[in-house]
Amino acid sequence: MKPATSCPCGSGRAFGACCGPALSGERPAPTAEALMRSRYTAFTLRDTAYLLASWHPSTRPQNLALDEQPPPKWIGLEVRAHRPLADDRAEVEFLARCRIGGRAQRLHETSRFVKEGGRWYYVDGDLHD
Ligand SMILES: [Zn+2]
């Protein structure tokens, strides 16, 4: 993805000034919300290596196959809340929208994040109806 392209996470910023540096490994996501946004962007780009690397080792799956057929088309992310709980813990509530085979789907989740060694990691999340 070109740095000047509008970032898939919907921040309104260019990819190169938003999720790009996190995905390339140039600069870790500075906040839990930024990490959450970068993971959404990684889903849209089917970047499994980044998704696994940003997953906390305690809950990280062995591997991640993004090979659903038909593939989901991610169409938007809305961050509803970013709740810092401590310097190294936070929750982010978000709504992600996609289309699977033409049918609209919503993923409404509150995700938990921890910071270790200067990096934020996704731990797990609770789905909302
Ligand atoms: Zn972004």
Side-chain angles (χ1 to χ4, degrees):
M1 174 163 284
K2 294 202 179 91
T5 307
S6 143
C7 196
C9 80
S11 64
R13 294 192 290 157
F15 177 66
C18 188
C19 298
L23 265 66
S24 68
E26 184 184 329
R27 173 164 45 81
T31 63
E33 178 180 340
L35 185 81
M36 195 273 128
R37 287 182 172 280
S38 70
R39 285 175 54 84
Y40 171 85
T41 295
F43 270 107
T44 71
L45 300 175
R46 307 174 86 74
D47 184 343
T48 52
Y50 181 78
L51 289 166
L52 289 171
S54 59
W55 213 308
H56 194 263
S58 66
T59 52
R60 180 190 295 156
Q62 290 273 314
N63 46 55
L64 187 64
L66 297 182
D67 56 2
E68 308 97 316
Q69 291 301 330
K73 177 172 167 42
W74 294 94
I75 52 181
L77 173 69
E78 183 187 320
V79 174
R80 292 274 181 91
H82 173 211
R83 302 184 194 103
L85 304 174
D87 287 345
D88 58 357
R89 285 192 308 124
E91 286 181 354
V92 178
E93 180 186 344
F94 67 91
L95 186 66
R97 291 188 177 84
C98 69
R99 280 184 188 282
I100 300 175
R103 295 200 19 224
Q105 309 268 330
R106 293 151 57 96
L107 176 68
H108 184 191
E109 182 180 309
T110 295
S111 301
R112 282 176 282 275
F113 297 86
V114 296
K115 191 178 191 182
E116 285 182 11
R119 284 177 178 267
W120 284 98
Y121 293 91
Y122 170 74
V123 180
D124 58 12
D126 295 325
L127 288 174
H128 302 269
D129 289 332

